[in-house]
Amino acid sequence: MLRRGGKGEAADGFYQIRSDCTHKVPETKFKIKIGKTLSVRKWHAAFTREGCLDIASVLNRIQKGGVHPTIRGEVWEFLLGCFDPGSTFDEREQIRQKRSLNIVTDDLCRIQYALWKEECKDMDSHVGSSKIITAPIITEDGMPIKDPLVLLEATSDQRTTQGSSSSSGNDNEVDKSVNCVVDKQIIEWKLLLHQIGLDVLRTDRSMVFYENKENLTKLWDILAVYAWIDKEIGYCQGMSDLCSPMIVLLNDEADAFWCFERLMRRLRGNFRCTQQSVGVENQLQHLASIIQVLDPKLHDHLETLGGGDYLFAFRMFMVLFRRELSFGDSLYLWEMMWALEYDPDIFSAYEHIGAATGVTPGYKPKVKSMRQFGKYERDNMKNGASDNDGPVPISVFLVASVLKENSAKLLQEARGIDDVIRILNDVNGNLDAKKACAVALKLHRKYLKKLYIIRQGKHILISSAGADT
């Protein structure tokens, strides 16, 4: 029996690991604690009779001890902006139905996820077929490839069947009996499908959940649909790691898709790459500035080693510490991050725009109580801490916290970038999510104070220079 103030209940049982993989997976540090973790009872008590959510009390509890695994999916729908906390039960049900149903009562109008999935299925019949493509199905000039060599299929006994080519082993034999695809956007999308499949088969393979191949195909379908609706980003490696938890937590495929789509609103800039720049470069620059202000000795040392671009932190940003934490602890970290930087107008802001894009320029949210904002967001609002791209994400300060915690070791042992990577790799499985968030908040406040002092100093210098002239 759980007791208030006790060590808490282990959460490993909610995300079971295959017996042959237990030695490879970090131990989950997250514990379910009475009085700290957002429980089922506290969650239900946070709603009014009509269904409006007291988001302030929920954020406070999450920031203390995370979310109970049994309600994680429905809590995340609010944290990620799928629903407005001021909405009623009926209003949310209408939104959910609009997003997930194939048909709307009398007018037979296809909508949202079902519509996009059907559109993808029309372009490639593998979508929604319980199959995963793991080999190219089209050439770069639009010619379909005959009998793709590898197809994984979810069967009734949940075992994988692998199809093989009947075309004498030629992996890329062009099928001349099928018309060539001429639409460049469709060609680009189809070229991504096998890449998605290969990544899906590598994602969270230690989990019992993915022994059910239907869950694998659900993950592949969602990523394939997203790649089509967000043509600028498409699909990049790492996105399967971000989407997988949504499949695990939410039974309905459409609900999982919308949570992933909302998460990508926050992160899609990280995946936007050109010949001139890496998508995550903006956050790496923020990280460099923060370390330079808070730990100039470490910053100078990293620059001397050739790591002044901070590219060694690339992975932490791209998959939000999925490699550094167990599955359960990464979920715990994510929900604390989202609770700390929560903005109650997130749903309204997203609803003003189409899917898979940013917030509409000039959009003015309604004024809300400061209690409805996360602790990190409140600090930003009080200090006016933002640039042209908005406030620096808390993930930047989380990475900074990892560097600060390992500062002494990096200064003493790192004699090259390989040493930096080795030392940071030692963090894998040893990172404490709650401690990392606490340190990130402290660094954030310290950084804001130092920035204020620097700006005040510059203001005095400018004023003095003006007086002298």
Side-chain angles (χ1 to χ4, degrees):
M1 181 177 177
L2 284 177
R3 294 182 179 179
R4 187 180 295 271
K7 293 184 178 180
E9 175 191 354
D12 289 334
F14 292 95
Y15 313 112
Q16 293 184 341
I17 303 300
R18 288 165 37 197
S19 58
D20 59 327
C21 297
T22 52
H23 64 287
K24 304 176 185 176
V25 178
E27 182 182 351
T28 298
K29 296 180 175 62
F30 170 66
K31 305 291 183 184
I32 302 166
K33 295 183 178 181
I34 289 181
K36 292 187 177 181
T37 303
L38 177 64
S39 65
V40 177
R41 185 178 65 83
K42 284 288 185 182
W43 172 244
H44 291 158
F47 290 93
T48 65
R49 184 174 297 180
E50 294 76 22
C52 298
L53 178 65
D54 177 6
I55 192 66
S57 67
V58 169
L59 296 177
N60 183 53
R61 186 54 72 99
I62 296 173
Q63 289 161 184
K64 287 181 179 178
V67 180
H68 194 283
T70 57
I71 54 171
R72 225 167 214 153
E74 51 191 294
V75 175
W76 281 24
E77 288 182 299
F78 284 90
L79 293 179
L80 289 168
C82 295
F83 298 123
D84 191 317
S87 62
T88 65
F89 290 127
D90 289 342
E91 288 169 341
R92 289 195 293 277
E93 186 57 29
Q94 289 173 13
I95 292 172
R96 196 184 297 279
Q97 294 302 320
K98 181 181 177 183
R99 288 173 176 167
S100 62
L101 289 181
N102 291 321
I103 297 173
V104 180
T105 58
D106 298 330
D107 61 1
L108 303 181
C109 177
R110 293 186 184 278
I111 40 177
Q112 299 299 327
Y113 180 67
L115 171 62
W116 290 326
K117 188 172 180 180
E118 194 66 26
E119 185 178 357
C120 291
K121 192 172 182 179
D122 288 342
M123 293 185 292
D124 190 276
S125 60
H126 298 109
V127 176
S129 69
S130 297
K131 293 180 180 179
I132 299 175
I133 296 171
T134 57
I137 58 171
I138 197 170
T139 64
E140 291 186 358
D141 57 2
M143 291 300 296
I145 294 173
K146 187 176 182 180
D147 297 329
L149 196 59
V150 183
L151 287 175
L152 297 182
E153 184 171 2
T155 59
S156 57
D157 63 358
Q158 300 181 358
R159 298 176 62 186
T160 302
T161 61
Q162 181 169 309
S164 60
S165 173
S166 58
S167 52
S168 66
N170 186 353
D171 296 14
N172 295 308
E173 183 179 345
V174 173
D175 189 348
K176 297 179 180 179
S177 65
V178 181
N179 292 334
C180 176
V181 178
V182 295
D183 188 311
K184 289 185 178 180
Q185 289 186 333
I186 295 178
I187 294 172
E188 289 175 1
W189 175 72
K190 287 197 169 199
L191 288 170
L192 292 173
L193 295 181
H194 78 283
Q195 296 174 22
I196 296 173
L198 291 171
D199 284 349
V200 162
L201 296 181
R202 290 191 287 256
T203 302
D204 293 323
R205 296 302 290 135
S206 63
M207 295 183 66
V208 172
F209 179 83
Y210 282 116
E211 288 185 337
N212 182 343
K213 299 306 181 290
E214 290 180 4
N215 293 327
L216 285 174
T217 56
K218 189 186 293 185
L219 178 57
W220 185 79
D221 282 343
I222 287 176
L223 292 169
V225 172
Y226 183 85
W228 175 247
I229 68 163
D230 189 357
K231 295 177 179 64
E232 181 187 7
I233 303 300
Y235 174 80
C236 301
Q237 193 170 35
M239 287 167 63
S240 61
D241 294 288
L242 299 175
C243 187
S244 174
M246 311 309 173
I247 308 292
V248 174
L249 298 180
L250 294 154
N251 292 327
D252 187 274
E253 185 176 322
D255 291 343
F257 169 84
W258 284 108
C259 268
F260 173 65
E261 190 269 344
R262 290 303 199 243
L263 177 58
M264 284 301 297
R265 303 265 190 144
R266 299 165 178 253
L267 302 176
R268 67 191 298 273
N270 290 355
F271 296 94
R272 188 188 290 115
C273 299
T274 66
Q275 292 180 341
Q276 289 75 36
S277 64
V278 179
V280 77
E281 186 175 350
N282 193 36
Q283 293 191 41
L284 294 174
Q285 290 173 354
H286 283 310
L287 177 63
S289 299
I290 291 165
I291 298 299
Q292 187 172 23
V293 169
L294 299 180
D295 196 339
K297 192 174 181 180
L298 175 59
H299 177 76
D300 291 344
H301 182 60
L302 292 172
E303 279 207 320
T304 301
L305 299 179
D309 53 11
Y310 286 74
L311 278 172
F312 53 81
F314 179 86
R315 189 182 71 186
M316 286 187 258
F317 285 116
M318 295 303 287
V319 293
L320 291 182
F321 295 90
R322 283 296 317 272
R323 300 290 187 276
E324 286 70 30
L325 297 162
S326 68
F327 184 83
D329 281 342
S330 63
L331 306 192
Y332 178 37
L333 177 68
W334 287 9
E335 63 204 15
M336 283 199 295
M337 287 169 53
W338 301 335
L340 288 167
E341 58 185 5
Y342 184 77
D343 182 336
D345 288 302
I346 186 173
F347 171 80
S348 300
Y350 288 162
E351 289 299 298
H352 271 72
I353 48 173
T357 56
V359 177
T360 303
Y363 168 71
K364 294 183 179 180
K366 298 177 182 178
V367 178
K368 300 286 177 70
S369 165
M370 287 289 283
R371 290 182 64 250
Q372 296 181 337
F373 289 84
K375 192 182 295 185
Y376 179 84
E377 188 64 18
R378 289 201 300 269
D379 287 345
N380 280 328
M381 294 169 70
K382 290 175 184 176
N383 292 277
S386 64
D387 56 21
N388 293 331
D389 299 316
V392 177
I394 193 173
S395 56
V396 179
F397 286 93
L398 279 166
V399 178
S401 75
V402 172
L403 294 178
K404 281 289 289 177
E405 290 292 296
N406 290 274
S407 180
K409 194 170 186 179
L410 287 166
L411 288 169
Q412 292 171 11
E413 298 181 16
R415 296 293 177 263
I417 291 300
D418 287 344
D419 291 330
V420 174
I421 294 171
R422 173 184 56 79
I423 291 168
L424 293 181
N425 280 342
D426 290 341
V427 174
N428 292 3
N430 297 312
L431 186 65
D432 186 312
K434 187 169 185 178
K435 182 181 178 182
C437 279
V439 173
L441 281 175
K442 289 179 182 178
L443 292 180
H444 179 234
R445 289 167 184 157
K446 189 176 180 181
Y447 179 68
L448 292 178
K449 286 179 181 178
K450 289 205 171 189
L451 273 189
Y452 177 78
I453 293 170
I454 292 170
R455 287 168 182 165
Q456 287 297 103
K458 287 182 179 179
H459 178 71
I460 292 170
L461 286 172
I462 293 171
S463 298
S464 299
D468 293 339
T469 57

